[in-house]
Amino acid sequence: GPKKKRPADAMVRWRKRLLAPVLEDLPEEWRTSHGEWLPNPEDLLGPTVQVTAGWGSRKMMKADQLLEMPIKDLLELLRAAVIEDDFEGFRESLSEAANREPARFAAEAESFCRLGSGPASAVLKGLFKAAREKREFSWEQFLKLSAGVLSSSAQTEKDSDDSIRKPLADLLESALSEDKASIPFTLRENVWRVLYPLTEDHDPTPEREERYFRTSFEPANLALNTVRGQALQAVLSYARWVRRNLTGATQVREFGDM
């Protein structure tokens, strides 16, 4: 049968493309020993990217370069980086790319989840910023990506800490508090599937609470700066949001009214 493409094939093609513009400026000795980098027509995936530093190292790849790639090739590139334990070179640029084109990246939520918590959480961070800046994307796909990151058994410590969970709680609390919430009410169950795990987060730990109350007696401040505390604030906003949509009420002054 036909030979199956390896995930690293996309990386090879992309490196050739990035090196092509500077190949003639490289020392003769280098060009002779690296002749395999001369691009074939099939290696060019669109307009040539002008590279002035880094010689196409993926640690130097910027959001602009990622955005130029077809999504299929980008996913192959990221898959290769994850396999080679070299994803960190993409984290910030991937977040920035997702922030700039949130609809495109949100639409591939399931694909990013399949790559693991590293790429999925990087895209999620970009969508956090896009949401704050009122850029439009699919809330359904956003919630799917969020649920995937939260439930991933492969989460690393870096991806499971406040850098994802606290901003997610903040964003849901803000989105649900708006009089005309941008999240469609048809996604009520999807929202709850993401929100509920945050209410059981370990932060604040008993040790953190003990340290805090040695110097302060403002539990509300602690709650607003921890994952579980902010998630519970979001639960209250969720309850108001549900009531507004079920009854048509525009204001809820007392929680007993809910």
Side-chain angles (χ1 to χ4, degrees):
K3 188 175 179 182
K4 211 171 185 181
K5 281 188 177 181
R6 295 177 303 163
D9 287 348
M11 179 65 72
V12 172
R13 295 196 306 272
W14 190 242
R15 282 173 173 169
K16 286 184 179 183
R17 181 192 169 198
L18 290 173
L19 281 171
V22 298
L23 200 58
E24 294 303 318
D25 297 323
L26 298 174
E28 179 66 30
E29 182 181 352
W30 193 96
R31 285 189 282 121
T32 301
S33 60
H34 294 79
E36 69 274 15
W37 291 112
L38 289 171
N40 300 314
E42 63 267 26
D43 295 320
L44 299 176
L45 303 176
T48 300
V49 177
Q50 296 299 319
V51 180
T52 57
W55 291 2
S57 166
R58 59 186 171 197
K59 293 184 183 300
M60 300 292 291
M61 293 184 77
K62 304 298 184 185
D64 286 340
Q65 294 169 290
L66 299 184
L67 288 170
E68 287 183 357
M69 298 182 72
I71 196 70
K72 180 180 178 181
D73 291 292
L74 175 58
L75 291 168
E76 284 190 37
L77 186 71
L78 296 174
R79 187 178 297 110
V82 170
I83 290 173
E84 296 173 18
D85 196 25
D86 196 23
F87 172 70
E88 288 305 311
F90 289 102
R91 187 178 292 275
E92 293 302 320
S93 55
L94 183 58
S95 291
E96 177 59 23
N99 168 42
R100 285 161 57 179
E101 294 189 12
R104 179 186 177 200
F105 282 79
E108 296 293 334
E110 292 184 4
S111 298
F112 286 111
C113 283
R114 284 195 292 269
L115 292 178
S117 62
S121 62
V123 171
L124 197 57
K125 286 183 181 180
L127 296 182
F128 290 160
K129 187 174 181 181
R132 289 194 296 270
E133 295 174 358
K134 305 298 183 183
R135 294 193 181 93
E136 292 187 2
F137 55 83
S138 166
W139 277 103
E140 182 177 8
Q141 296 300 320
F142 171 85
L143 293 168
K144 188 177 295 185
L145 183 63
S146 301
V149 170
L150 293 177
S151 65
S152 174
S153 59
Q155 280 183 334
T156 64
E157 184 177 347
K158 185 181 182 77
D159 294 320
S160 61
D161 65 7
D162 293 3
S163 67
I164 287 295
R165 301 169 77 89
K166 178 61 165 58
L168 182 53
D170 290 341
L171 179 57
L172 290 176
E173 197 279 329
S174 175
L176 295 170
S177 295
E178 298 171 0
D179 287 340
K180 294 183 179 179
S182 53
I183 304 177
F185 189 61
T186 53
L187 299 177
R188 173 183 175 181
E189 292 184 4
N190 307 61
V191 172
W192 186 248
R193 277 196 292 270
V194 172
L195 185 54
Y196 179 73
L198 299 176
T199 66
E200 297 187 323
D201 193 84
H202 68 276
D203 179 44
T205 61
E207 292 77 17
R208 182 177 180 183
E209 290 180 331
E210 183 180 353
R211 288 195 303 272
Y212 180 83
F213 287 119
R214 286 175 187 167
T215 58
S216 175
F217 295 97
E218 297 292 336
N221 289 339
L222 177 64
L224 291 173
N225 289 285
T226 59
V227 178
R228 193 170 67 251
Q230 187 63 5
L232 291 172
Q233 290 285 337
V235 167
L236 298 179
S237 295
Y238 173 86
R240 296 188 189 99
W241 175 65
V242 170
R243 184 178 186 276
R244 286 199 305 270
N245 280 277
L246 292 180
T247 67
T250 57
Q251 293 183 338
V252 178
R253 292 186 174 83
E254 302 293 337
F255 290 112
D257 292 340
M258 290 191 288

